[in-house]
Amino acid sequence: MTNFPETYEPPKVWTWDKESGGRFAAINRPIAGPTAEKVLPVGRHPMQLYSLGTPNGVKVTIMLEELLALGHTGAEYDAWLINIGAGDQFSSGFVDINPNSKIPALLDRSGPEPIRVFESGAILIHLAEKFGNAFLPTEPAARAECLSWLMWLMGSAPFLGGGFGHFYAYAPMKIEYAINRYAMEVKRQMDVLDRRLAEAEYVGGAEYTIADMAIWPWYGGMAKGVLYEAGEFLDVASYKNVIRWTDAIAERPAVQRGRMVNRTFGEPSSQLRERHEASDFETKTQDKLEAK
């Protein structure tokens, strides 16, 4: 028998009269705009990234590290930590770059006037086009395939994170209906991806692209049972093609570096909370800072 919570009758007009949202209740609110005046720091590199090592943030740090690995020195960047639990994303400086108050946000200072770019998919496209269509095919059919999968991710990931992840891991109560609803959708998405990767080495086709960089932090993490500790619940081991692709991307040195940047959880040796120089990976991970 399906268990439903007590019946809720919505009012004619919804009002915000109490915190809601489980683990993240303290930072959820129904209005936009800044809550405090705070100027963001600016480093010396062309790219200023304000982010956190969540799946959305990792997309961009992987791209920047991949560009640097190709020799694009113009992709040098400062990665500043935005603590979303403390509400840093609602500071005036951050809202100036991203009025939606979500990480990541990029300020491209390489030209005469700074360019703000927000939403991770937009940042990936901006960087790819800026550096000669790096990791973005130019042949029309291949480009369309890559961008289609990138947009698939942008539309699908909210069901994985804000839907399944929220109700399975963060909601203040376990609601069977909600968990079942989103578990079904995430498994459908994993099947979509698994079927695609049965016919192609990478999501966009034969070549590694920004589509892989975008999808891997979310669905690769899910395939390895990392996200929400839900691997067994969703039987992720059954998606063999996704696991093959996940493991191959995880071996890339730029991916290994990118997933460390702005990371505040896991083994201290895997956390580079701010990144300002390539040498920081060797000298400023959290384990080394704590040892000092």
Side-chain angles (χ1 to χ4, degrees), residues 10 80 192 207 234-235 252 264-265:
W80 303 94
V192 169
E207 302 295 328
L234 294 177
D235 188 26
R252 298 180 67 91
T264 60
F265 54 91

Side-chain angles (χ1 to χ4, degrees), residues 277-288:
E277 307 292 343
S279 61
D280 290 348
F281 291 101
E282 303 299 326
T283 62
K284 293 185 178 179
T285 52
Q286 198 62 20
D287 60 323
K288 295 182 175 65

Side-chain angles (χ1 to χ4, degrees), residues 156-166 186 189 218-219 222 227-228 234:
S156 297
F159 288 94
L160 171 52
F164 174 77
H166 176 78
V186 170
Q189 293 171 1
W218 279 107
Y219 292 88
M222 179 55 72
L227 289 185
Y228 314 119
L234 294 177

Side-chain angles (χ1 to χ4, degrees), residues 35 61 276:
T35 59
T61 50
H276 302 289

Side-chain angles (χ1 to χ4, degrees), residues 217-258:
W218 279 107
Y219 292 88
M222 179 55 72
K224 302 302 287 186
V226 175
L227 289 185
Y228 314 119
E229 299 181 348
E232 182 179 6
F233 180 72
L234 294 177
D235 188 26
V236 296
S238 65
Y239 302 104
K240 303 297 186 183
N241 300 304
V242 178
I243 291 174
R244 182 269 306 164
W245 164 84
T246 296
D247 290 343
I249 291 177
E251 292 177 1
R252 298 180 67 91
V255 171
Q256 294 171 10
R257 292 191 299 273

Side-chain angles (χ1 to χ4, degrees), residues 103-143:
I103 62 96
L106 178 74
L107 196 63
D108 179 349
R109 295 171 58 88
S110 62
E113 295 293 334
I115 299 173
R116 75 175 189 182
V117 194
F118 58 93
E119 291 296 332
S120 55
I123 295 173
L124 292 176
I125 294 171
H126 173 80
L127 292 172
E129 292 180 340
K130 183 178 184 68
F131 294 101
N133 287 300
F135 305 107
L136 178 59
T138 56
E139 189 277 323
R143 185 182 182 88

Side-chain angles (χ1 to χ4, degrees), residues 29-262:
R29 58 195 185 115
I31 56 175
T35 59
E37 291 295 321
K38 183 179 180 181
V39 177
L40 291 178
V42 177
R44 67 182 184 87
H45 294 307
M47 302 297 164
Q48 299 296 303
L49 179 67
Y50 304 94
S51 191
L52 183 66
T54 66
N56 286 332
V58 168
K59 300 173 193 176
V60 177
T61 50
I62 286 175
M63 176 60 163
L64 288 164
E65 291 296 331
E66 292 281 12
L67 289 169
L68 291 170
L70 285 181
H72 293 292
T73 57
E76 267 295 352
Y77 69 105
D78 292 278
W80 303 94
L81 182 66
I82 298 297
N83 185 344
I84 62 174
D88 290 353
Q89 69 275 31
F90 300 117
S91 72
S92 58
F94 191 87
V95 173
D96 283 345
I97 301 177
N98 185 355
N100 196 38
S101 292
K102 303 289 184 182
I103 62 96
L106 178 74
L107 196 63
D108 179 349
R109 295 171 58 88
S110 62
E113 295 293 334
I115 299 173
R116 75 175 189 182
V117 194
F118 58 93
E119 291 296 332
S120 55
I123 295 173
L124 292 176
I125 294 171
H126 173 80
L127 292 172
E129 292 180 340
K130 183 178 184 68
F131 294 101
N133 287 300
F135 305 107
L136 178 59
T138 56
E139 189 277 323
R143 185 182 182 88
E145 191 74 19
C146 171
L147 292 177
S148 293
W149 283 105
L150 175 61
M151 297 307 154
W152 174 85
L153 179 279
M154 301 305 290
S156 297
F159 288 94
L160 171 52
F164 174 77
H166 176 78
F167 286 105
Y168 183 81
Y170 302 139
M173 65 184 72
K174 302 298 183 185
I175 303 173
E176 183 181 5
Y177 172 80
I179 292 173
N180 286 345
R181 165 71 179 90
Y182 288 108
M184 181 183 300
E185 174 60 13
V186 170
K187 287 186 68 66
R188 188 193 69 82
Q189 293 171 1
M190 291 289 284
D191 193 42
V192 169
L193 191 58
D194 198 65
R195 289 169 184 264
R196 171 57 179 166
L197 291 168
E199 63 187 20
E201 183 174 1
Y202 295 103
V203 175
E207 302 295 328
Y208 173 66
T209 69
I210 57 174
D212 298 286
M213 297 179 204
I215 296 170
W216 183 82
W218 279 107
Y219 292 88
M222 179 55 72
K224 302 302 287 186
V226 175
L227 289 185
Y228 314 119
E229 299 181 348
E232 182 179 6
F233 180 72
L234 294 177
D235 188 26
V236 296
S238 65
Y239 302 104
K240 303 297 186 183
N241 300 304
V242 178
I243 291 174
R244 182 269 306 164
W245 164 84
T246 296
D247 290 343
I249 291 177
E251 292 177 1
R252 298 180 67 91
V255 171
Q256 294 171 10
R257 292 191 299 273
R259 70 185 300 269
M260 294 172 64
V261 179
N262 296 142

